[in-house]
Amino acid sequence: MWVYILIAIIILVIVAAAVLLYLRSVKTQMIDTQYSKLHEVNQLPFKLDLVKLKNYNLHGEAKGLYNNWQDEWNDTLNTHSTHATNALEQSKKDVEQFKFSQSTKNNELAGENIELIQKKYDELTEEIAGFTKAVEEGKHQNVESERLYREAKRDVLANGHKFGDAKKPLEEVIKAYEPEVAKYEKMVNDGDYIRANEFIFNTYNELLNLKDSMDEIPKLIKEVQKELPQQFQELRYGCRDLRAKGYDLDHIKVENRLSTLKSNLNRVEPLVAKLELEEADSILENIHDELDDMYELVEHEVNAKNKFDGGKDVITDELFNAKALNYTLRTEIDYIQEQYHIDESDVQKVMNYENEIENLISIYSGMIEETEKNTTRYSAIVDNIDYLKNNAHTIHEEQNSIQEHLVNLREDDAEARENLRYVIDRKEKVYRELMSSNLVTLPEQFIVMKHEIEVDVKEIENYFNRRPLNVEYVKAKVNDTVLMMNKFEQEAYAVMRDSQLTELMIQYGNRFRSTDSDLNAHLNEAERLFKENRYKRALDVAKDAIESVEPGSAAKIEKQFDNN
């Protein structure tokens, strides 16, 4: 037994030893990897990036930056490289002593120091790249500034007339930039690249603004001397022509406002001469706003007149038609009120419409009177155009509806009388057919229905004799009677059909009575039901009887009867 225990212990010891040796191998590889990384960061080409600065003037700011970047890199490299090396050496010893946990900590510490070196390298190279890029941009802006300066100077000398009184101030401003360009070169020669870049950036943007101002000044002068005075004249003469055509434009106050605008316009050229362009632009913007407002008001007056001219004939027709129809309605109402019942609200509407139409005509006449004056402010009366058109149209439509109702009264009266005559004729015809049919006796229901129809007819005839006649009531009453008549007719013809078919079925079945006792019994039952006025049931019994001896014969008889 103890032998097996010993073997198991030996196996455990071997396995444990193998695991330890494996872990030591893994940790050793990790340490070697960190050594490789440390070697790589120690070989980073920072000096190659730094040496680029020697292409510039290493004085002043440039010298300071060069020394700071070099010192910062050396300090970082020496400090963190030493810390990383020590940590890796200690980690290596820990592995040899199988202190894997402590080895991992030292290995991670070394990795942190290596990362700090890499991070510092990236940071410093980015700063160097930013510096060189800024220097190149400064050189480009310096070249562009010299070009803008030369072009501005040449433009003033060659085309000074287009700048007017602003020529001399522009020459002074341009001349002031001559020493500015030289200042940049001195700063660069002194190695003060940062100050030089800031200086040339401001100078470049000032020259761009100067160029924009020089482009704008001739336009401003042209606008002040030609374009706006021309617009003033066009507006003034245009308004005079409109007044001659009958427009009232006093509310726009064109002359007063133009006088004020002209005074403001006179302030612009001195401002342009002093290069105070922002204030000059502000005044011109206000002038344009005032002109736009006046043009808009004038256009509103022209549109108002066009709208008035376009709607005048329509309103005239609408008012004429509404007034003529109102007179017709009042005449018709007076005539038919004795014959027919008319809703009092319709009568009152027609009377009210007469007053409304007169009011609309009064408003319209006032508008016409205004337009017949020497001058007319169309914007003050044009709002009434839509009011008149809409109201006149509404009145006309509603009066048409009332007129249609009055016409319908006569038509409904005639229709009701015609339907009543139809009921009387049909009632008598159906009743005669019932009496001459093969019915044993006339069923009670038809006597009752005939009586009810006759009562309704008599009542309706009495209503027709009344004055004024309520057509709607009489029409509804007649329609109800027509429905009752239709029911009377349908049921009567249904009973007569059943009775005649029953006779035919019994006659057809008589040929089988002597040979079929069951059929004979059924036909006897059908005859009994027939005598009791139970025609529907008698028909069903007779049909079943002959179908039992000759299938299909009942349907054939019924089809022949319906076709005849």
Side-chain angles (χ1 to χ4, degrees):
M1 184 67 182
W2 61 270
V3 174
Y4 293 109
I5 295 173
L6 181 61
I7 293 172
I9 292 172
I10 292 171
I11 292 172
L12 288 173
V13 170
I14 293 172
V15 170
V19 170
L20 289 173
L21 291 174
Y22 173 75
L23 290 174
R24 187 172 70 174
S25 175
V26 171
K27 296 296 182 181
T28 301
Q29 290 178 3
M30 293 173 63
I31 293 170
D32 291 342
T33 301
Q34 292 291 51
Y35 268 119
S36 298
K37 290 183 178 179
L38 178 61
H39 178 72
E40 289 176 2
V41 296
N42 282 330
Q43 298 301 317
L44 287 172
F46 180 72
K47 290 183 179 180
L48 295 178
D49 291 298
L50 196 61
V51 78
K52 295 177 183 178
L53 296 180
K54 292 185 178 181
N55 296 327
Y56 303 106
N57 296 316
L58 286 180
H59 308 292
E61 292 176 346
K63 180 65 174 176
L65 288 171
Y66 179 88
N67 293 335
N68 288 339
W69 285 331
Q70 187 176 47
D71 293 343
E72 195 171 348
W73 172 248
N74 290 334
D75 290 345
T76 299
L77 187 63
N78 293 333
T79 301
H80 294 292
S81 179
T82 301
H83 291 337
T85 301
N86 293 337
L88 290 173
E89 290 296 329
Q90 185 60 44
S91 178
K92 193 173 183 180
K93 291 178 182 179
D94 292 336
V95 169
E96 291 174 354
Q97 298 173 6
F98 298 102
K99 297 178 181 179
F100 299 127
S101 177
Q102 188 63 36
S103 173
T104 300
K105 291 181 180 178
N106 285 319
N107 194 44
E108 291 175 352
L109 179 61
E112 291 174 0
N113 281 276
I114 292 171
E115 288 180 3
L116 288 173
I117 296 172
Q118 182 67 52
K119 183 177 180 181
K120 179 57 69 174
Y121 173 78
D122 294 339
E123 179 184 326
L124 294 178
T125 53
E126 185 177 351
E127 289 180 6
I128 293 172
F131 173 79
T132 55
K133 181 180 179 181
V135 171
E136 295 305 316
E137 288 179 354
K139 289 180 179 179
H140 173 71
Q141 290 178 349
N142 181 52
V143 172
E144 287 298 306
S145 296
E146 290 180 351
R147 179 183 64 79
L148 291 171
Y149 166 73
R150 289 193 302 271
E151 289 179 355
K153 186 175 181 180
R154 183 171 60 249
D155 194 15
V156 171
L157 289 174
N159 304 302
H161 63 280
K162 70 180 182 179
F163 298 107
D165 294 339
K167 176 184 177 183
K168 187 174 182 180
L170 280 174
E171 289 176 342
E172 294 174 356
V173 170
I174 294 169
K175 187 177 180 181
Y177 280 102
E178 186 174 3
E180 299 295 310
V181 177
K183 285 181 183 179
Y184 171 78
E185 296 294 341
K186 184 178 184 306
M187 291 180 187
V188 169
N189 292 333
D190 292 341
D192 295 332
Y193 287 97
I194 296 176
R195 287 177 53 224
N197 289 340
E198 292 177 355
F199 173 80
I200 200 62
F201 174 80
N202 294 331
T203 302
Y204 176 64
N205 283 291
E206 289 174 4
L207 285 168
L208 283 177
N209 292 333
L210 177 62
K211 182 180 183 305
D212 291 340
S213 297
M214 291 178 68
D215 291 340
E216 185 181 4
I217 287 173
K219 297 176 183 177
L220 291 176
I221 293 174
K222 181 180 179 182
E223 186 175 7
V224 170
Q225 293 179 351
K226 295 181 179 179
E227 293 176 357
L228 284 175
Q230 183 177 351
Q231 289 185 40
F232 293 170
Q233 287 296 93
E234 288 176 356
L235 182 59
R236 179 177 285 110
Y237 292 142
C239 289
R240 287 179 183 175
D241 292 341
L242 290 175
R243 288 193 188 94
K245 294 178 181 179
Y247 286 88
D248 180 1
L249 304 177
D250 290 345
H251 62 289
I252 304 178
K253 300 178 180 178
V254 175
E255 292 297 333
N256 291 339
R257 294 171 74 174
L258 285 177
S259 177
T260 302
L261 292 182
K262 190 173 182 180
S263 299
N264 292 335
L265 187 62
N266 292 335
R267 295 168 50 203
V268 175
E269 275 199 89
L271 291 173
V272 173
K274 292 187 290 185
L275 303 183
E276 296 178 5
L277 303 186
E278 288 187 6
E279 188 175 351
D281 284 333
S282 177
I283 294 173
L284 289 175
E285 184 177 353
N286 290 333
I287 290 174
H288 282 294
D289 289 343
E290 278 289 297
L291 281 173
D292 290 342
D293 183 60
M294 285 189 284
Y295 274 116
E296 185 176 342
L297 290 173
V298 171
E299 185 179 4
H300 180 59
E301 286 298 321
V302 174
N303 292 336
K305 184 179 187 302
N306 292 336
K307 185 175 181 179
F308 174 80
D309 292 341
K312 181 171 61 174
D313 293 338
V314 176
I315 294 172
T316 301
D317 292 342
E318 289 281 3
L319 290 176
F320 175 80
N321 292 334
K323 185 172 182 179
L325 183 54
N326 183 265
Y327 175 78
T328 301
L329 285 176
R330 287 186 285 112
T331 303
E332 285 187 6
I333 289 173
D334 290 341
Y335 174 72
I336 66 175
Q337 258 184 331
E338 296 180 358
Q339 300 182 43
Y340 300 112
H341 169 75
I342 302 174
D343 194 326
E344 189 60 34
S345 63
D346 288 341
V347 177
Q348 191 60 43
K349 281 182 182 178
V350 173
M351 300 305 171
N352 291 337
Y353 288 149
E354 181 184 11
N355 296 329
E356 290 183 27
I357 292 168
E358 290 300 327
N359 181 50
L360 294 178
I361 292 174
S362 175
I363 294 173
Y364 183 61
S365 299
M367 292 171 60
I368 297 299
E369 290 176 4
E370 283 293 322
T371 60
E372 290 174 350
K373 294 179 179 178
N374 292 333
T375 58
T376 303
R377 183 177 173 181
Y378 289 96
S379 60
I381 64 173
V382 75
D383 291 340
N384 288 329
I385 291 290
D386 291 333
Y387 173 79
L388 290 172
K389 287 171 64 176
N390 294 335
N391 282 274
H393 181 72
T394 300
I395 291 173
H396 187 67
E397 290 294 317
E398 293 185 3
Q399 288 191 146
N400 275 333
S401 178
I402 295 173
Q403 186 182 42
E404 185 177 348
H405 173 66
L406 296 178
V407 172
N408 288 339
L409 287 178
R410 298 189 184 92
E411 294 177 353
D412 291 346
D413 179 18
E415 182 183 346
R417 294 177 186 274
E418 180 65 26
N419 288 338
L420 185 63
R421 286 191 293 271
Y422 167 80
V423 169
I424 294 171
D425 293 342
R426 293 300 297 168
K427 171 183 67 74
E428 294 301 326
K429 182 177 181 297
V430 172
Y431 186 73
R432 286 194 300 271
E433 291 183 12
L434 282 171
M435 295 303 294
S436 61
S437 67
N438 64 339
L439 299 177
V440 179
T441 58
L442 186 63
E444 183 69 23
Q445 68 187 84
F446 296 113
I447 298 174
V448 173
M449 291 176 70
K450 177 177 179 293
H451 177 70
E452 289 178 352
I453 293 172
E454 290 174 343
V455 170
D456 285 349
V457 168
K458 186 175 181 181
E459 182 181 352
I460 292 169
E461 287 176 339
N462 290 333
Y463 265 105
F464 275 126
N465 294 325
R466 294 182 183 179
R467 291 292 179 272
L469 176 63
N470 190 330
V471 176
E472 291 183 4
Y473 175 81
V474 172
K475 182 181 178 182
K477 190 71 175 174
V478 170
N479 289 339
D480 291 341
T481 306
V482 170
L483 293 175
M484 186 183 297
M485 178 61 228
N486 291 339
K487 181 180 179 183
F488 174 68
E489 185 175 15
Q490 291 169 3
E491 293 184 5
Y493 284 122
V495 167
M496 287 188 283
R497 179 180 181 275
D498 291 343
S499 66
Q500 293 170 13
L501 274 174
T502 302
E503 273 192 349
L504 291 174
M505 297 291 180
I506 292 173
Q507 290 171 5
Y508 188 82
N510 285 338
R511 69 184 67 181
F512 305 108
R513 274 186 159 179
S514 59
T515 59
D516 192 328
S517 58
D518 288 339
L519 179 136
N520 182 55
H522 282 93
L523 292 180
N524 289 335
E525 175 64 16
E527 290 173 346
R528 183 186 67 80
L529 293 170
F530 187 89
K531 293 175 181 179
E532 293 177 358
N533 287 336
R534 296 170 62 184
Y535 303 105
K536 181 65 176 174
R537 179 57 183 156
L539 176 61
D540 292 338
V541 172
K543 285 170 65 176
D544 292 341
I546 64 174
E547 280 291 316
S548 64
V549 295
E550 191 177 313
S553 58
K556 184 177 180 181
I557 294 170
E558 190 170 0
K559 183 177 181 181
Q560 288 177 350
F561 177 83
D562 290 334
N563 289 337
N564 293 332

